[in-house]
Amino acid sequence: MKRHQTTIIDIARALNISKSTVSRALTGHPNVNAQTRKAVLELAEKMEYERNMLAISLVKNKSFTIGIIVPEFMTTFFPQVVIGAQEVAAKKGYNVIISQSNESYETEVANAKVMLTNRVDGVLVSLTKETRNFDHLKIFQRKGIPIVFFNRVCEEMEVPKVVTNDYDGAFNIVEHLIQRGKKRIAHLAGPDSLLISRKRLNGYLDALRKNNIPVIEELIIPYDLTLEKVKIYVKYLLELPDPPDALFAINDPTAMEAIQIIKAKGLRIPEDIAVAGFSNDFASALIEPGLTTVSQPMREIGKTAMQLLLEMMDKEVSEWKAITRTLKAELIIRGSS
Amino acid sequence: MKRHQTTIIDIARALNISKSTVSRALTGHPNVNAQTRKAVLELAEKMEYERNMLAISLVKNKSFTIGIIVPEFMTTFFPQVVIGAQEVAAKKGYNVIISQSNESYETEVANAKVMLTNRVDGVLVSLTKETRNFDHLKIFQRKGIPIVFFNRVCEEMEVPKVVTNDYDGAFNIVEHLIQRGKKRIAHLAGPDSLLISRKRLNGYLDALRKNNIPVIEELIIPYDLTLEKVKIYVKYLLELPDPPDALFAINDPTAMEAIQIIKAKGLRIPEDIAVAGFSNDFASALIEPGLTTVSQPMREIGKTAMQLLLEMMDKEVSEWKAITRTLKAELIIRGSS
DNA sequence: CTGTTAGCGCATTCAC
DNA sequence: GTGAATGCGCTAACAG
């Protein structure tokens, strides 16, 4: 059970010098005799000494760790964002501890607690679809731990946020469908709890209005992002007396699921019904027909969020600004429209 | 810069009792007066006290953290494995710190160092395609830190490993292609450095031999898993005087890339050339035609690996056994064959 | 350039 | 049941 661990004391004793000198040599402090330094470094190497970050963190009151809370890891989106974030963090010598809330509010709360007890120096979070209470996240603010939201942001907290231009993305893709001659455009929307759902819905609505296309309530279906349910909604839409000639889905997985169902029904895409998604998932280029979608700069989102976080950590709490960085969403037209 | 932090001392002072009593109350020690305990717990809640794991870890010489090193996060495979591992770890109160080596040996070494300095209680690792030297991982063994490999395992280290039955999977899928009447089956193989590459290659070879199909060297191409290069190899194969009538790719992304290229060439799948992959990526069911592949129990791999690791941590180093758990690979037949 | 001292927040002896 | 003392491994003043 007891683990071997070389400490500074060990090499201090072996070299018959003081611990502080060893410490200084190890941390690259200037005031150390070149020979002493060399001896220390060599012995440290030989003894496989590794600095104990736990101890360093304790005395420095800084863990060099950033927490990231994401709702899921199933789609390409969040893993990609995390990669971006990790890259930036690593460059600055920060570790990242990731936890996925699994779209559960309670798990999110638990994860936040873990981050707290682990004394992360900052957190990046993207909310659960269930989250409506934010006490567990406000604690970070209160404790002076910087927090940055990305993608699924919290409206009632005044902190930095990184989002894609959901409204524009939705607006453009719907207008594109209209230009393709589509008039009855359905929208499989996300849960109302998420701001991104509402933004995309608004983009959809405004595109219709601007082009004098009537908004038909029965063609707008908010759903909880549970892929299994897509079948129900798509069937409902297709069996309508006056079915839609296009479908704009809240995200790519939903759209791809819809494509499968539509194809199984024997309908042609895009002739009978066009389909559009959101995010430009890896698979959306592979599916047949290719999915028209809006690309989100996933890596970039992660990078930007982490950069904002790191910047906050260098500043006084009083200087923190609740800026929202909106990254561009780009229309990608493929065979499904 | 200085962060507010409620400590045991704070609540000890507020309640005018000793730190040890507070500590005992907080940790659920039996020898505490019920009222005192209640008072402590309430105040702790009110003051938003959170245990400082850094300090606890230091004194307990245990970080309650598991490190996971994966080569990449682009395909569905590793994120899924990580989810499984995380689930099991969380249930036992362990955190997980993830780092991706990005298929770079040097990054892997650096990541291992980070794990070491962060005093992880154990590590799960899946190797880089470049890794041929294992000193950075052997250190864990030497320091008595349990290590478990999964998927891309290290042959020369005697530690627990979790793998899929790559040989059987490859054998079965190739035999399936043969049953479909295919006789010139190409194999876009993985780098020779990876055991999985060799196992799958062997499965391929044995399936051919068992069915008296000649092994044609020019149809076997090992490559470095860089997707951009797939185009070169597939074109080469298709332009052969006697081109293959089937292609078995080392993994699904490669196979899907090949499908795109083959379709662009105007060839029919599977009539002109059948395609098969490995892993059952999310997208393989979506692509047209659906990709015939071998499913790996990704979540299960993560869970199993983490379980093995957790078990080791409860045992003396002398009791550690280098068992290899081989999970079943299941043939999934779709339209591409 | 080097050694000494103090203390980070906590669990854990050992006394009472 | 409670308190006082010790130390986990390390950095950061403070002296020389």
Side-chain angles (χ1 to χ4, degrees):
Chain A
M1 211 55 231
K2 222 173 285 165
R3 219 140 64 202
H4 169 64
Q5 184 174 195
T6 311
T7 70
I8 285 192
I9 299 188
D10 295 329
I11 62 187
R13 265 207 278 268
L15 256 34
N16 197 26
I17 56 177
S18 77
K19 306 164 219 172
S20 17
T21 303
V22 176
S23 173
R24 279 190 276 257
L26 253 19
T27 50
H29 192 100
N31 285 356
V32 178
N33 179 311
Q35 299 192 14
T36 327
R37 160 170 287 130
K38 188 157 167 280
V40 169
L41 259 27
E42 276 174 3
L43 190 59
E45 172 87 4
K46 210 181 98 198
M47 296 176 74
E48 291 187 333
Y49 168 81
E50 295 288 348
R51 310 168 68 197
N52 188 332
M53 278 307 288
L54 261 32
I56 297 179
S57 298
L58 187 61
V59 32
K60 290 211 176 188
N61 192 27
K62 189 162 165 36
S63 65
F64 300 94
T65 304
I66 305 290
I68 304 186
I69 304 181
V70 294
E72 47 101 351
F73 243 37
M74 304 293 289
T75 58
T76 26
F77 186 81
F78 290 107
Q80 290 298 314
V81 173
V82 167
I83 292 179
Q86 206 139 317
E87 277 176 13
V88 174
K91 256 180 221 149
K92 296 273 190 174
Y94 284 87
N95 289 117
V96 157
I97 89 176
I98 303 166
S99 68
Q100 51 138 201
S101 53
N102 208 14
E103 295 284 18
S104 146
Y105 165 70
E106 266 128 50
T107 310
E108 189 178 270
V109 174
N111 288 344
K113 271 231 157 47
V114 168
M115 303 284 170
L116 240 24
T117 64
N118 277 73
R119 295 295 190 272
V120 293
D121 295 329
V123 275
L124 251 41
V125 3
S126 196
L127 295 170
T128 293
K129 67 185 179 194
E130 298 182 348
T131 310
R132 281 141 209 274
N133 179 307
F134 306 99
D135 291 347
H136 58 300
L137 300 173
K138 287 179 184 161
I139 297 182
F140 290 106
Q141 278 193 106
R142 236 172 290 134
K143 298 216 174 197
I145 300 171
I147 179 169
V148 172
F149 285 100
F150 64 95
N151 188 250
R152 303 201 191 163
V153 306
C154 170
E155 285 171 272
E156 66 177 77
M157 286 173 68
E158 290 214 347
V159 296
K161 298 164 192 175
V162 179
V163 295
T164 316
N165 200 326
D166 294 288
Y167 174 86
D168 280 7
F171 185 93
N172 291 337
I173 204 164
V174 171
E175 192 152 62
H176 156 76
L177 291 172
I178 295 169
Q179 281 161 7
R180 285 283 198 252
K182 303 298 184 182
K183 303 230 176 291
R184 292 182 60 81
I185 303 173
H187 180 34
L188 209 38
D192 196 56
S193 55
L194 297 178
L195 184 59
I196 51 172
S197 305
R198 280 173 278 141
K199 290 234 173 132
R200 291 176 196 176
L201 175 62
N202 283 336
Y204 161 86
L205 292 172
D206 283 357
L208 293 185
R209 286 178 195 133
K210 185 193 155 206
N211 290 274
N212 298 315
I213 303 219
V215 172
I216 305 168
E217 284 300 334
E218 65 178 1
L219 294 185
I220 302 173
I221 306 176
Y223 95 113
D224 66 359
L225 305 181
T226 320
L227 276 189
E228 296 77 46
K229 295 193 186 151
V230 174
K231 197 166 200 159
I232 303 170
Y233 301 126
V234 173
K235 281 201 167 162
Y236 154 82
L237 286 170
L238 296 181
E239 286 164 8
L240 239 33
D242 203 355
D245 54 11
L247 168 62
F248 167 45
I250 179 79
N251 60 22
D252 278 8
T254 305
M256 292 190 283
E257 192 70 20
I259 286 183
Q260 303 290 94
I261 297 160
I262 293 168
K263 276 161 67 174
K265 274 258 181 187
L267 294 173
R268 292 166 308 163
I269 302 173
E271 296 81 356
D272 298 326
I273 180 168
V275 179
F278 206 110
S279 274
N280 195 24
D281 258 50
F282 174 65
S284 62
L286 299 173
I287 195 170
E288 186 78 20
L291 179 63
T292 290
T293 185
V294 174
S295 84
Q296 299 198 67
M298 315 188 204
R299 295 275 267 265
E300 210 52 39
I301 292 173
K303 284 188 181 179
T304 310
M306 186 59 82
Q307 262 149 14
L308 287 177
L309 194 67
L310 260 23
E311 282 167 21
M312 287 172 84
M313 291 172 23
D314 286 340
K315 288 181 187 154
E316 289 299 323
V317 179
S318 57
E319 299 176 69
W320 290 357
K321 289 197 184 99
I323 40 169
T324 294
R325 277 254 220 291
T326 306
L327 305 186
K328 239 194 4 222
E330 201 181 333
L331 180 59
I332 296 187
I333 300 171
R334 297 205 182 91
S336 72
S337 70
Chain B
M1 212 56 232
K2 223 173 287 167
R3 218 141 64 206
H4 169 64
Q5 183 174 192
T6 310
T7 70
I8 284 192
I9 300 188
D10 294 330
I11 59 188
R13 266 208 278 267
L15 256 32
N16 197 27
I17 56 178
S18 78
K19 306 165 218 170
S20 13
T21 303
V22 175
S23 173
R24 279 190 275 257
L26 252 20
T27 50
H29 193 99
N31 283 358
V32 178
N33 181 311
Q35 298 193 15
T36 329
R37 160 169 287 130
K38 187 157 168 281
V40 169
L41 259 27
E42 276 174 2
L43 191 58
E45 171 86 3
K46 209 180 102 199
M47 295 176 77
E48 292 185 335
Y49 168 80
E50 296 287 347
R51 309 168 69 197
N52 187 333
M53 279 306 290
L54 261 32
I56 298 180
S57 298
L58 186 61
V59 33
K60 290 212 175 188
N61 193 27
K62 188 162 164 39
S63 66
F64 300 95
T65 303
I66 306 290
I68 304 185
I69 304 182
V70 294
E72 48 101 350
F73 242 37
M74 303 294 288
T75 59
T76 26
F77 185 81
F78 290 107
Q80 291 297 316
V81 172
V82 167
I83 292 179
Q86 205 139 312
E87 276 176 13
V88 174
K91 256 181 219 150
K92 296 272 188 175
Y94 284 87
N95 289 118
V96 156
I97 89 177
I98 303 166
S99 67
Q100 50 138 203
S101 53
N102 208 14
E103 295 284 17
S104 146
Y105 165 71
E106 267 128 51
T107 310
E108 190 179 87
V109 174
N111 289 344
K113 272 231 158 48
V114 169
M115 303 283 170
L116 239 25
T117 64
N118 277 75
R119 294 297 190 271
V120 292
D121 295 329
V123 274
L124 251 40
V125 2
S126 196
L127 297 170
T128 292
K129 66 184 178 193
E130 298 182 346
T131 310
R132 280 143 208 275
N133 179 306
F134 306 99
D135 291 346
H136 59 299
L137 301 173
K138 287 178 183 162
I139 297 182
F140 290 106
Q141 279 194 105
R142 235 172 293 133
K143 299 216 174 197
I145 300 171
I147 179 169
V148 172
F149 285 100
F150 65 96
N151 187 250
R152 302 201 191 165
V153 306
C154 170
E155 285 171 89
E156 66 177 77
M157 285 173 67
E158 290 215 346
V159 297
K161 297 161 192 178
V162 179
V163 295
T164 316
N165 200 326
D166 295 286
Y167 175 86
D168 280 8
F171 185 93
N172 292 336
I173 205 165
V174 172
E175 191 151 63
H176 155 77
L177 291 171
I178 296 170
Q179 282 161 7
R180 286 283 200 251
K182 303 300 185 182
K183 303 228 177 290
R184 291 181 61 81
I185 304 172
H187 180 35
L188 210 37
D192 195 57
S193 56
L194 296 178
L195 184 58
I196 52 172
S197 304
R198 281 173 278 140
K199 290 233 172 134
R200 292 177 195 174
L201 175 61
N202 283 336
Y204 160 86
L205 292 173
D206 284 357
L208 293 185
R209 287 177 194 134
K210 185 194 154 202
N211 290 273
N212 299 315
I213 303 218
V215 172
I216 305 166
E217 284 300 335
E218 65 177 1
L219 294 185
I220 301 172
I221 306 175
Y223 95 112
D224 66 358
L225 304 180
T226 319
L227 276 189
E228 296 78 45
K229 295 191 186 153
V230 173
K231 198 167 200 155
I232 303 170
Y233 302 125
V234 173
K235 281 201 167 160
Y236 155 80
L237 287 170
L238 296 180
E239 286 163 7
L240 240 33
D242 203 355
D245 54 12
L247 169 62
F248 166 44
I250 179 77
N251 61 22
D252 278 9
T254 305
M256 292 190 283
E257 191 70 20
I259 286 183
Q260 302 290 95
I261 297 160
I262 293 169
K263 277 162 63 175
K265 275 257 179 186
L267 293 173
R268 291 166 309 162
I269 302 173
E271 295 81 358
D272 297 326
I273 181 166
V275 180
F278 206 109
S279 275
N280 196 24
D281 258 49
F282 174 66
S284 62
L286 300 173
I287 194 169
E288 186 78 18
L291 179 63
T292 289
T293 186
V294 174
S295 83
Q296 298 198 68
M298 317 186 202
R299 295 276 265 265
E300 211 52 38
I301 292 174
K303 284 189 182 180
T304 309
M306 185 59 83
Q307 262 149 15
L308 287 177
L309 194 68
L310 260 23
E311 282 167 21
M312 286 171 84
M313 291 171 24
D314 286 339
K315 288 181 188 153
E316 290 298 322
V317 178
S318 56
E319 299 176 69
W320 290 358
K321 292 198 185 96
I323 40 170
T324 294
R325 277 254 220 292
T326 306
L327 304 185
K328 241 198 356 226
E330 201 180 332
L331 180 60
I332 295 186
I333 300 170
R334 297 204 182 90
S336 72
S337 70

